[in-house]
Amino acid sequence: MAQAHQSGSPARAVRRRRIRGPVRMLLAMLLTALVVGGAVPYVSGPGRAYLSYLVLAGQEDAEGAARAGAESRAAGGQVVQEYPQIGAVLAYATGGFADKVRARPGIAAVGATRTAPVVGPPRAMDGAGDFAAGAERGSSQGRATSGGRVAPGGRTVPDGRATTGARVTARGRAASEGEEGGTPTVPDPGEGGAWNLAMLGPASGRAGDAGGGTPSAEALHKVLVAVLDSGVDDSHPDLWAAVDPKASASCADGRPDARTGSWRPDSGVGESGHGTHVAGIIGAARDGKGVTGVAPGVRIAAVRLLGPLGQYYAENIVCGMLWAADHGAKAINNSYFADPWKYNCPEDRDQAALVAAVGRATAYAQRKGAVVVASAGNDGQDLGAARTDERSPNDRGSEPARTRYLGTECIRLPGELPGVVTVTAVNRDGRPSSYSNYGRGHVSLAAPGGDPDGGAQGAIVSDWPGGQYAALAGTSMAAAHVAGAVAIAAALHPDLGSGGLAALLATTAAAGCPVGPRACGDRQYFGAGLLALPR
């Protein structure tokens, strides 16, 4: 679930319902996906119900992935993707698959990644599954920045992926009262009124000015930021030169798919505009039109995670994290939480396996030099205290959600994994946003997220598919500011690794922060402090 609000919407969001029932219900669900998503994503089976599983070997390498695959097949599973970087595979199976594989030697963990079954594994697809796709074709330098601009395209793509602060439809989409779907758009701001950028430092010190100790657009163009989200509309005038097609892909079913355009939003799936909004905050061009990103000139790897059934399953996250790392991303932005469990608890064997899998992928990315940035969440909860979860699992059927009473051992993915830069949100006045999660020792930095009831003046205005603009608020937006700041730090200090870049941001944020309740020196709400652009 992405961490965004629609501006001006009053009520808290709810999550989608879990799908259960006989096979005819499953087929109906998939036919619905055919209508709204463009294609049924699963192979039909002989009246069988499959779940997807992440199978992790004890050995975290290609040999481990081979072992996990062999044991999965021996237990009757169908392996659809190997993750040799972390010694894991994605398999689909029926019956008692997990217990069979858990008992096999060399297997560390097995976990179902969904609770709603499907009628079969994803269909075979030419070219899918190759993590090296694009990278071997030479240096990824994105599109040329001269020769004119592309037309916006005139498409209207449905709303962004909200979790709180807005009324939502049955599929979890934010909507204004009286609307079923679409996010209201705002006029072209002409790069004016960007209070969120002003909060990061003086205008003379912004990235792309080629002065005052900040990197030029040319220096930033050497830096790649991966946006793991719902897809990015690379025809948007603000983004067409930023999105690097050689570094972009879809991981919407856990397999990397680098076919041209796979990274773009699927207008048939609700909430698909969210990634374009996030990408605009990070790297929209400075050209006097639209909006300007925190790091204009940076290259963006658009990695679509949002699947055809409207979920960010763990295999999608694993795939996206590994793809971004293998393509050289210096920052990986994650403005969502993993489906179907809002919080994953170690005492549950399935959820523990999901934590381990996403944790391995995150650690791999960090070792490859990427700063992994994540939104803290929009539930107004203290992540350092016991809490409730009234939404999980969010792929359930029509029955109401059961309230889970959770301790601090249950974590959000990927935001509470080791080394992740987890970002809270502040309003225009610099005070913590009421919706933002918080927690001393659980959050890293604060950044502009805005007020969902503040309109275009109080929310964050950024790009929207079809050459449009929208005002959203949430920790999604806050995280994107930090990812842009990582890009600036990487351009200024190319020799720093992921730990050094994160430390630089923390040190810069802490400078000048006054100590006091809910002031930017308050670690409960701000972590190290309020984001400021590094130098």
Side-chain angles (χ1 to χ4, degrees):
M1 255 320 152
Q3 303 302 301
H5 292 287
Q6 272 194 18
S7 176
S9 299
R12 287 202 176 271
V14 296
R15 296 295 298 269
R16 287 181 307 282
R17 295 170 300 189
R18 182 176 172 186
I19 299 172
R20 282 182 175 175
V23 173
R24 63 176 178 269
M25 179 176 290
L26 300 176
L27 293 173
M29 176 186 72
L30 295 176
L31 288 172
T32 299
L34 173 62
V35 173
V36 302
V40 175
Y42 301 101
V43 175
S44 62
R48 305 176 71 185
Y50 287 77
L51 290 178
S52 49
Y53 296 87
L54 284 169
V55 181
L56 285 69
Q59 197 168 329
E60 299 183 27
D61 55 17
E63 187 175 336
R67 166 61 69 89
E71 297 297 352
S72 296
R73 295 183 186 95
Q78 298 185 42
V79 175
V80 300
Q81 181 64 46
E82 291 190 354
Y83 306 114
Q85 304 94 323
I86 61 169
V89 301
L90 171 65
Y92 278 71
T94 61
F97 172 81
D99 288 336
K100 293 176 185 177
V101 181
R102 285 175 184 139
R104 300 299 300 163
I107 299 301
V110 181
T113 69
R114 65 183 70 213
T115 67
V118 294
V119 295
R123 295 183 296 190
M125 185 167 54
D126 289 342
D130 182 6
F131 281 101
E136 77 279 5
R137 296 198 297 266
S139 176
S140 294
Q141 293 299 319
R143 294 179 174 82
T145 56
S146 61
R149 306 191 65 82
V150 297
R155 292 184 289 123
T156 300
V157 176
D159 45 77
R161 189 172 175 83
T163 56
T164 63
R167 185 182 69 82
V168 296
T169 68
R171 292 183 59 81
R173 298 181 300 196
S176 298
E177 292 300 329
E179 287 188 291
E180 175 62 24
T183 294
T185 56
V186 300
D188 184 337
E191 295 187 351
W195 64 267
N196 51 309
L197 297 185
M199 185 177 284
L200 305 185
S204 60
R206 289 182 193 158
D209 286 339
T214 61
S216 65
E218 290 73 21
L220 278 167
H221 197 63
K222 298 177 182 179
V223 178
L224 183 70
V225 175
V227 177
L228 275 56
D229 213 291
S230 62
V232 177
D233 179 6
D234 56 350
S235 75
H236 196 289
D238 279 344
L239 294 171
W240 75 270
V243 174
D244 184 347
K246 294 179 181 178
S248 299
S250 171
C251 280
D253 62 8
R255 301 175 296 178
D257 172 13
R259 292 177 301 170
T260 300
S262 63
W263 55 83
R264 294 172 187 146
D266 181 350
S267 60
V269 179
E271 307 150 8
S272 60
H274 183 273
T276 302
H277 195 276
V278 166
I281 294 171
I282 294 170
R286 171 173 289 160
D287 58 4
K289 301 176 181 178
V291 298
T292 300
V294 174
V298 73
R299 287 184 297 120
I300 292 174
V303 184
R304 182 163 72 92
L305 301 190
L306 183 62
L309 298 182
Q311 300 282 355
Y312 290 81
Y313 285 123
E315 62 265 30
N316 305 14
I317 302 169
V318 168
C319 171
M321 203 76 72
L322 299 178
W323 173 274
D326 284 350
H327 285 75
K330 298 299 291 185
I332 302 176
N333 190 84
N334 303 270
S335 291
Y336 58 85
F337 64 83
D339 294 312
W341 304 99
K342 181 177 176 183
Y343 295 98
N344 285 268
C345 302
E347 63 269 19
D348 181 285
R349 290 189 296 178
D350 288 317
Q351 295 171 40
L354 306 189
V355 171
V358 177
R360 286 187 185 186
T362 299
Y364 176 83
Q366 291 164 337
R367 291 194 300 271
K368 295 276 280 188
V371 178
V372 179
V373 180
S375 54
N378 298 343
D379 298 288
Q381 293 182 329
D382 182 354
L383 299 176
R387 68 196 84 97
T388 59
D389 173 9
E390 299 176 352
R391 301 179 182 180
S392 300
N394 57 48
D395 58 354
R396 64 187 182 274
S398 60
E399 70 273 17
R402 298 177 182 177
T403 299
R404 297 198 301 164
Y405 297 93
L406 309 176
T408 57
E409 74 280 0
C410 300
I411 66 170
R412 290 172 52 89
L413 292 177
E416 290 188 87
L417 291 169
V420 174
V421 177
T422 304
V423 188
T424 65
V426 298
N427 291 334
R428 186 169 183 163
D429 61 5
R431 307 289 281 180
S433 302
S434 61
Y435 56 78
S436 181
N437 288 347
Y438 57 93
R440 187 181 183 93
H442 291 259
V443 299
S444 308
L445 293 170
D451 178 358
D453 298 319
Q457 300 303 311
I460 309 296
V461 176
S462 186
D463 300 323
W464 199 249
Q468 300 184 86
Y469 305 90
L472 302 181
T475 56
S476 281
M477 289 66 247
H481 287 82
V482 173
V486 172
I488 294 172
L492 290 172
H493 306 281
D495 295 332
L496 288 180
S498 59
L501 292 171
L504 175 61
L505 260 63
T507 300
T508 305
C513 268
V515 176
R518 299 177 76 84
C520 69
D522 186 341
R523 292 187 175 273
Q524 178 87 337
Y525 295 96
F526 289 82
L530 182 61
L531 177 68
L533 295 185
R535 293 179 178 271

